[in-house]
Amino acid sequence: RSTIDMPTELNRKGVIVACDVDSKEKLSDLVKQTCKVGVSGYKIGALLAMENLAECVGIVRQFTDLPIIYDHQKWMTDIPDLGALFARKIKAAGVDAVIGFPLSGPETQSSWTRACQTLELRVIIGGEMTHSRFIYEWPSPISGYISQGAPIRIYQLARDMNVTDFVVPGNKADKVRQYRELLGKEVVFFAPGFVTQGGSISETGQVAGDYWYSIIGRDIYNARDIGEAAGKYVRA
């Protein structure tokens, strides 16, 4: 299913913990409380990267060998030539995969994807985000900037480049169904947008296929009992 192997824990379905906390101390506590309850991996974002991405990877590795996904929020939005430089830095930090939202065009998407694949850094491509007013809906003057066909073109190019992992909006089940039909049964979906953003894990699960992961952040790390909250979503 993928040209780049990741640890075997990340192979079918599960929960990825979005570590959108603002300190290494909070990251340590989050991983410590969740790494033994059955989650499938961790997503580190730009907030923690500003602390020091490699050090944050090291903190996770103190507790678990589960896969670490880096989400630069949003990566792949610069000129094509910078892709190799960014990819080398991210690879050196020790993560297993990186999320890209190539909204600046196919040249950047192609260049940055190839740079990651050369380094055997797994690429997860997103095309549509979860929030409202992302997609332009003619003739509404208050809709988003991104054309309706852009996510489809992004996903198609990624598939043509042998990418098998995709971020889809978990709170838009109809779109998840559309992208599953477009990309086929064997690709892996990673879906944020649940609970706080209105998405239903059960509803999305019915259309997401056999290989998909819910990405849960605030409803885990803001919970009174973080471990119990994570375990609840693992069992869902």
Side-chain angles (χ1 to χ4, degrees), residues 68-200:
I68 300 173
I69 299 167
Y70 178 53
D71 183 2
H72 196 68
Q73 291 136 337
K74 291 296 183 256
W75 200 62
M76 289 192 180
T77 56
D78 212 313
I79 62 172
D81 294 346
L82 291 181
L85 298 176
F86 273 96
R88 286 199 293 270
K89 290 287 187 181
I90 292 171
K91 178 70 174 181
V95 302
D96 299 294
V98 61
I99 291 174
F101 269 77
L103 300 175
S104 57
E107 289 300 318
T108 290
Q109 180 177 352
S110 298
S111 177
W112 291 44
T113 299
R114 282 194 298 269
C116 292
Q117 291 173 333
T118 298
L119 296 173
E120 296 190 341
L121 181 62
R122 187 167 176 173
V123 181
I124 305 171
I125 290 293
E128 180 167 350
M129 296 178 67
T130 56
H131 60 280
S132 61
R133 297 179 64 190
F134 179 73
I135 297 294
Y136 175 67
E137 299 176 0
W138 188 88
S140 172
I142 59 171
S143 62
Y145 298 138
I146 308 302
S147 71
Q148 293 188 14
I152 291 176
R153 293 180 62 199
I154 288 170
Y155 291 135
Q156 286 177 325
L157 176 56
R159 183 187 58 188
D160 290 345
M161 297 188 70
N162 297 317
V163 172
T164 60
D165 305 286
F166 300 88
V167 177
V168 294
N171 58 348
K172 303 176 184 179
D174 56 330
K175 291 297 188 72
V176 175
R177 179 187 292 106
Q178 176 186 358
Y179 297 139
R180 174 60 70 185
E181 292 173 352
L182 172 73
L183 297 167
K185 297 180 179 180
E186 294 302 313
V187 300
V188 182
F189 280 176
F190 296 82
F194 298 108
V195 192
T196 304
Q197 295 186 71
S200 166

Side-chain angles (χ1 to χ4, degrees), residues 23-25 27-28 31 44 48-63 68 89-90 92-95:
S23 73
K24 291 181 284 188
E25 292 75 21
L27 173 65
S28 178
V31 177
I44 294 177
L48 285 174
M50 288 192 286
E51 295 282 324
N52 187 304
L53 180 57
E55 289 182 9
C56 291
V57 170
I59 289 170
V60 177
R61 288 290 171 251
Q62 290 177 13
F63 301 101
I68 300 173
K89 290 287 187 181
I90 292 171
V95 302

